[in-house]
Amino acid sequence: MDPRDESRHEPRQAPYGEARWPMAAAVIAAAVLTLLLPDDLRLGPRWALPVVEGLLLVALIAGDPGRISRRSNALRGVSIALVGVLACGAIWSTLRLTDDLVHGGDETNSADALLQAGGSVWASTVLAFSLLYFELDSGGPAARAHHMPPTPALAFPQHLSPELNATHWRPRYIDYLYLGFTNATAFSPTDVMPLSPWAKIVMAVQSVVSLLILGLVIARAVNVLA
């Protein structure tokens, strides 16, 4: 029998979909952090970004509830729009906080208020970039559920260590959240290596953003306490 005939009759592997709730929880947490920010650090009115993020999240859940496995250009567009809104909000807050630290702002005169505002902005950037990695790596979670490319944009330890025998392994949101956290604290790759140009650029941008927040906030807080 021709081996090609046998391969045609092999059962197709079921989609390896990820649960939606970790990603949804991250979006909700980012929206709550936005509500906690001072007015001058927030992009638009207090309700604007959380409402937009909430509507986009509801559209995603309605279009692909349960596990993320449905490949759709429309859902892909909604996911990218949601991540884009989160990233724009986080970067805007970072720029506004940096401007206040350089030129003086209401929250810069109190160490407690400064640390709270700086911590909220920093946590928002971690969540936004983790969702950015989650959505862009290997075509997004729905594409990863069906097929992993031979060379992913982000190489996790399971990809780099053949002895782990991770043939069917898929990165989950928690893996991207850990990547976002470690890149924001170490300002460089730790256990996940960026292979594609976009991954290197995004990780570099996150490192710069995090360095601005942590460096300026800590320096200003020490100056206020002194």
Side-chain angles (χ1 to χ4, degrees), residues 148-206:
M148 283 294 293
T151 304
L154 295 165
F156 289 84
Q158 289 84 345
H159 299 137
L160 300 173
S161 302
E163 63 272 13
L164 295 178
N165 193 26
T167 305
H168 302 295
W169 182 82
R170 302 287 190 275
R172 302 295 194 178
Y173 174 69
I174 184 62
D175 299 298
Y176 296 101
L177 179 60
Y178 180 74
L179 167 60
F181 177 79
T182 54
N183 193 53
T185 52
F187 313 123
S188 64
T190 53
D191 63 332
V192 181
M193 295 296 107
L195 301 183
S196 68
W198 77 256
K200 295 176 181 179
I201 293 171
V202 172
M203 290 185 72
V205 170
Q206 187 193 8

Side-chain angles (χ1 to χ4, degrees), residues 10-208:
E10 289 178 359
R12 181 175 296 179
Q13 185 180 357
Y16 198 71
E18 177 179 2
R20 174 73 70 181
W21 71 263
M23 170 265 186
V27 173
I28 294 171
V32 171
L33 288 172
T34 300
L35 293 173
L36 296 177
L37 287 175
D39 290 338
D40 61 334
L41 299 183
R42 193 184 309 108
L43 179 60
R46 179 181 295 271
W47 54 267
L49 283 181
V51 167
V52 172
E53 293 161 2
L55 291 175
L56 291 173
L57 179 60
V58 169
L60 282 178
I61 296 174
D64 189 16
R67 294 190 172 273
I68 307 173
S69 60
R70 181 185 174 191
R71 289 181 288 190
S72 163
N73 290 334
L75 289 176
R76 175 77 168 152
V78 173
S79 297
I80 293 177
L82 173 57
V83 172
V85 170
L86 289 165
C88 288
I91 293 175
W92 172 266
S93 297
T94 299
L95 295 175
R96 291 296 304 152
L97 178 62
T98 302
D99 183 71
D100 283 358
L101 288 168
V102 173
H103 299 100
D106 294 338
E107 68 279 348
T108 62
N109 297 320
S110 167
D112 291 341
L114 177 59
L115 291 174
Q116 179 180 351
S120 297
V121 172
W122 183 82
S124 296
T125 63
V126 171
L127 291 172
F129 278 92
S130 69
L131 289 166
L132 191 62
Y133 300 133
F134 173 76
E135 186 57 44
L136 296 183
D137 184 31
S138 302
R144 291 193 300 271
H146 294 267
H147 173 71
M148 283 294 293
T151 304
L154 295 165
F156 289 84
Q158 289 84 345
H159 299 137
L160 300 173
S161 302
E163 63 272 13
L164 295 178
N165 193 26
T167 305
H168 302 295
W169 182 82
R170 302 287 190 275
R172 302 295 194 178
Y173 174 69
I174 184 62
D175 299 298
Y176 296 101
L177 179 60
Y178 180 74
L179 167 60
F181 177 79
T182 54
N183 193 53
T185 52
F187 313 123
S188 64
T190 53
D191 63 332
V192 181
M193 295 296 107
L195 301 183
S196 68
W198 77 256
K200 295 176 181 179
I201 293 171
V202 172
M203 290 185 72
V205 170
Q206 187 193 8
S207 296
V208 171

